[in-house]
Amino acid sequence: MAQPADAARTVIMTVDDDPGVSRAVARDLRRRYGASYRIVRAESGESALEALRELKLRGDLVAVILADYRMPRMNGIEFLERAMDVHPGARRVLLTAYADTGAAIDAINVVDLDHYLLKPWDPPEEKLYPVVDDLLEAWKRSDHRPAPSTKVVGHRWSARSSDVREFLARNQVPYRWYSSDEPEGRRLLAAAEEDGMRLPLVITPDGTPLVEPEPADLAAHVGLATTPAADFYDLVVIGGGPAGLGAAVYGASEGLRTVLVERSATGGQAGQSSRIENYLGFPDGVSGAQLTDRARRQATRFGAEILTAREVTGLEVGGAARVVRFSDGSRIAAHSVILATGVSYRRLAAPGCEELGGCGVYYGSALTEAPACQDQDVYIVGGANSAGQAAMYLSRFAKSVTLLVRGPDLSASMSYYLIEQIGRVPNIAVRCGTVVEEAHGDGHLERLTLRGTGGGQTDVVDAQWLFVFIGAAPLTDWLDGTVLRDERGFILAGPDLTADGRPPAGWELDRPPYHLETNVPGVFVAGDARAESAKRVASAVGEGAMAVMLVHRYLEQS
């Protein structure tokens, strides 16, 4: 086998609590790969994780990890899940007996497992080596270089610190968090000649200090693309949620020069979900971050550009071109545009909530805050799937999770499977007919005043964490005067534009608008921003693909 350029520091690791099996696996691996790779073996998940951390600190690369399923204290799936945090690029193999193949199949979704091997694998030339060969080739084709770590110094109750952590996490940028109260945090502040009054401080991999950085500046310094490579495209996709990513994948894969523009982070609301369990093909669910990462990699592999932290402020028609204007005054143009801007969670109007935003009051799942909820009481406002998924996830950390639901029960807005799951978790409580009347706190959330609907009694509860999921508002104000919307701001398209049998005002073509086409020819809409859309991940992805099909039809007739 050809030796990779960095083979002297590249590791294949095997983990098995049976010393005899451990030695046998290492022996077989050394026989085939010992000249090109270091073979490291461990006999427990704990010792393997310690070795992985040491390799990380030294800058060594780990190409493949093979872990036995049945290990005491920490089984192979649990180990691989934790190993992903240390060496996310390593290919993962589970060694299992025939009786445990069900667990191995489940692990494909839980830890993004690459392969599972049944024991025994004799002869290795037929059952072991071909699998490892393929995984090594796949690893070498991937961007397996260790990513230098970004450092963030902030404070738990700093809203800007929370925003920066969420931005980095959702954009899959690895970072290390340091509290400004801790010695290392103070050392980093001193090195940057900062006194801690302005937070967060972000130190980029090349050592550049950024104080309270804006998203665009932060994105540019941590390696995210923010500048388009061209002035003109076949297709501009605005919004990077499931609909936008679906459109980017299908547009680029079908030969359209495609650019996707996202104002914050790809994934949209779905990307913030801790677990999506009703998406086709993932019987055990998939996290929004995992689904987003796979879709983003798929889009870029087909050649789509993805621009992050770019806010679109206008859409203009210039003859056959559709011109997209950015907040900094720059612009790009294209033959066609797909609007996949999605929606944002509505703000809670109760007094005190605006002032405490990011300091105990969070909109969306804010998964980066979940570990800090350990053994504390958490409140969630909302009764739809996003609120239920957040409750299930946060219940793993918090002492208690209380869902505050305005309506009489959950059945009107939450999927049945999720209601059943919530009912089986002992530390989740549901308070129906309840709203937040006021949030209290000095610098961070400390208490909530809750009120029963219909003039019910009020009571005050201690609370440091409030997560809000109260409906969706479309991000479409910037389209005012160009694209027709309904009274709530959702974009009208296709049949909704021609309800009386006549084309919309200003429509000059001799055909009616296509199904997802707006009142501007060549401008389409997909996903949650469309009026009367299904508000589901699967339908959003489908609409993104369908919009690309209609773009092709439009381009053929233009």
Side-chain angles (χ1 to χ4, degrees):
M1 174 176 290
Q3 182 167 328
D6 49 6
R9 307 185 69 190
T10 301
V11 170
I12 298 174
M13 171 175 277
T14 172
V15 190
D16 198 304
D17 67 300
D18 185 322
V21 174
S22 178
R23 286 192 293 269
V25 178
R27 179 198 64 223
D28 286 345
L29 291 173
R30 286 195 183 96
R31 183 186 305 158
R32 172 84 167 190
Y33 308 104
S36 301
Y37 296 86
R38 288 177 53 203
I39 310 301
V40 175
R41 73 179 183 91
E43 295 182 1
S44 71
E46 293 85 350
S47 62
L49 285 172
E50 183 177 351
L52 287 173
R53 294 188 189 102
E54 291 178 1
L55 293 167
K56 185 77 168 182
L57 289 174
R58 292 202 301 262
D60 292 350
L61 301 173
V62 178
V64 177
I65 303 173
L66 300 93
D68 183 52
Y69 172 61
R70 292 203 176 193
M71 293 190 294
R73 295 186 302 277
M74 184 190 303
N75 68 36
I77 297 174
E78 294 166 339
F79 161 72
L80 289 172
E81 191 167 16
R82 294 176 64 178
M84 287 172 66
D85 295 330
V86 187
H87 290 275
R91 302 293 162 160
R92 294 168 286 275
V93 180
L94 193 69
L95 306 177
T96 181
Y98 182 82
D100 298 321
T101 53
I105 293 171
D106 292 344
I108 291 172
N109 285 328
V110 175
V111 297
D112 201 12
L113 192 69
D114 293 292
H115 204 89
Y116 68 89
L117 279 173
L118 293 177
K119 299 189 295 186
W121 52 80
D122 289 334
E125 290 78 9
E126 294 181 11
K127 298 183 179 180
L128 176 64
Y129 297 153
V131 171
V132 177
D133 285 348
D134 287 346
L135 294 177
L136 288 172
E137 286 300 319
W139 178 82
K140 284 189 286 184
R141 288 194 303 268
S142 67
D143 185 12
H144 55 261
R145 295 167 295 177
S149 180
T150 297
K151 300 179 178 67
V152 180
V153 183
H155 191 273
R156 174 182 173 184
W157 301 123
S158 161
R160 286 289 294 125
S161 297
S162 176
D163 290 343
V164 164
R165 293 176 68 191
E166 195 75 4
F167 177 86
L168 293 173
R170 292 186 59 200
N171 280 292
Q172 307 289 315
V173 177
Y175 71 92
R176 295 191 65 182
W177 164 259
Y178 301 90
S179 171
S180 58
D181 297 330
E182 297 174 353
E184 183 62 21
R186 290 194 293 269
R187 283 192 288 270
L188 291 170
L189 286 168
E193 299 181 339
E194 288 290 329
D195 58 9
M197 298 301 293
R198 298 186 301 160
L199 292 174
L201 166 69
V202 178
I203 301 174
T204 65
D206 64 2
T208 302
L210 305 173
V211 181
E212 297 181 319
E214 293 299 321
D217 192 32
L218 179 58
H221 277 86
V222 297
L224 298 174
T226 60
T227 304
D231 296 325
F232 197 90
Y233 294 83
D234 294 318
L235 171 64
V236 175
V237 180
I238 303 175
L245 287 167
V249 167
Y250 282 94
S253 68
E254 294 175 11
L256 298 178
R257 184 162 192 187
T258 302
V259 60
L260 183 150
V261 182
E262 168 55 47
R263 63 196 292 267
S264 177
T266 50
Q269 286 187 324
Q272 295 178 278
S273 176
S274 57
R275 207 79 184 158
I276 302 169
E277 297 194 70
N278 58 353
Y279 188 64
L280 184 68
F282 292 89
D284 295 304
V286 61
S287 74
Q290 284 179 314
L291 190 63
T292 298
D293 180 56
R294 293 178 185 184
R296 182 171 50 206
R297 286 190 283 117
Q298 194 174 14
T300 55
R301 182 168 64 86
F302 283 124
E305 283 183 51
I306 296 181
L307 306 182
T308 305
R310 293 303 302 265
E311 184 175 3
V312 176
T313 57
L315 176 65
E316 303 167 0
V317 177
R322 304 294 177 255
V323 180
V324 174
R325 190 172 65 249
F326 296 116
S327 58
D328 64 358
S330 62
R331 59 185 62 195
I332 56 176
H335 292 299
S336 58
V337 172
I338 294 178
L339 304 171
T341 51
V343 294
S344 63
Y345 290 112
R346 297 185 186 277
R347 312 295 284 185
L348 198 60
C353 288
E354 191 63 31
E355 296 82 352
L356 297 173
C359 302
V361 178
Y362 302 95
Y363 292 86
S365 55
L367 298 182
T368 54
E369 304 294 338
C373 300
Q374 189 77 41
D375 300 324
Q376 298 188 37
D377 298 314
V378 172
Y379 289 82
I380 297 175
V381 180
N385 279 10
S386 52
Q389 289 160 353
M392 291 294 296
Y393 181 73
L394 291 167
S395 68
R396 295 160 50 185
F397 303 89
K399 179 173 70 176
S400 72
V401 177
T402 303
L403 271 168
L404 305 174
V405 184
R406 177 184 290 272
D409 57 49
L410 293 172
S411 61
S413 53
M414 189 178 292
S415 296
Y416 176 76
Y417 81 89
L418 200 48
I419 297 174
E420 291 288 295
Q421 288 182 1
I422 288 172
R424 292 194 293 267
V425 179
N427 64 333
I428 298 180
V430 181
R431 288 185 56 165
C432 295
T434 304
V435 296
V436 174
E437 188 166 75
E438 189 171 357
H440 314 269
D442 182 12
H444 63 87
L445 180 65
E446 297 172 347
R447 297 176 306 282
L448 292 171
T449 298
L450 306 180
R451 176 178 55 82
T453 56
Q457 293 184 335
T458 62
D459 63 304
V460 178
V461 297
D462 292 331
Q464 289 187 316
W465 304 95
L466 179 69
F467 297 90
V468 181
F469 303 82
I470 54 168
L475 303 170
T476 59
D477 289 347
W478 60 278
L479 292 167
D480 191 32
T482 304
V483 173
L484 293 178
R485 299 170 295 149
D486 67 13
E487 65 279 1
R488 295 179 299 163
F490 291 95
I491 298 170
L492 298 171
D496 294 327
L497 289 167
T498 58
D500 58 359
R502 293 180 297 177
W507 185 264
E508 298 179 353
L509 302 182
D510 57 0
R511 61 165 178 82
Y514 295 133
H515 184 68
L516 298 177
E517 194 170 23
T518 69
N519 62 296
V520 180
V523 176
F524 300 81
V525 60
D528 290 359
R530 183 176 66 83
E532 306 301 326
S533 64
K535 307 296 187 292
R536 288 290 185 269
V537 176
S539 61
V541 173
E543 287 192 7
M546 183 178 180
V548 170
M549 179 192 74
L550 297 174
V551 164
H552 278 292
R553 190 179 300 175
Y554 166 77
L555 294 176
E556 289 167 359
Q557 296 183 359
S558 296

